[in-house]
Amino acid sequence: MEDPIGNFANIDVEAFLRDSEKRVANFAAAQEEAAAAVGRATAADGHIMVECTAQGGVSRLDMDPRVKRMSVHEMSAAILAAIHDADADLQRQLSRIMTGVVGGLDPALGDPDVALAKMTEAQAAFDRMMGDAMGELDRMRKKLGH
């Protein structure tokens, strides 16, 4: 006869909790790493340097005085290229961070703010799931008289 509550009676609750705590800690570390990520790029032979963050977009723009030799059009194009490359560098970093936690960043989440919001949403869902699972395990334990 099959056990009416399935294989739940054989669950190692302590191991399950340790694994869950480890996953939550890994997720929190990934959130911190994502918040600290900085995308960097240069343009115009290194005379223009840009940094981007997930919180504020372009966070730094440095220009060597030699950029004055460029036309306004050339300088504008070089700055835009450096911003694009710095943002792409940031996206690669965020994708790498997420790959370690959830198996990869959904390509539809090109916006770092959306990616961070999804991470927060996933953590809240995980916390709810853990609460539900622990409640169910407690209910089964009581039913079995343990």
Side-chain angles (χ1 to χ4, degrees), residues 18-35 94 97-105 109 114-127 130:
R18 282 191 306 274
D19 183 57
S20 297
E21 288 171 354
K22 181 180 175 184
R23 288 176 191 264
V24 169
N26 288 345
F27 192 77
Q31 282 184 307
E32 289 178 18
E33 189 177 352
L94 293 175
I97 293 165
M98 292 301 296
T99 297
V101 176
V102 294
L105 185 63
L109 300 176
V114 173
L116 289 173
K118 289 289 186 183
M119 285 175 52
T120 302
E121 182 182 311
Q123 182 174 8
F126 178 78
D127 291 344
M130 288 301 302

Side-chain angles (χ1 to χ4, degrees), residues 17 23 32 35 54-55 57 60 64 68 81 90 123 135 137 142:
L17 288 174
R23 288 176 191 264
E32 289 178 18
Q55 295 79 22
R60 185 174 177 179
D64 185 288
K68 292 179 187 177
L90 176 63
Q123 182 174 8
L137 287 171
K142 288 176 184 175

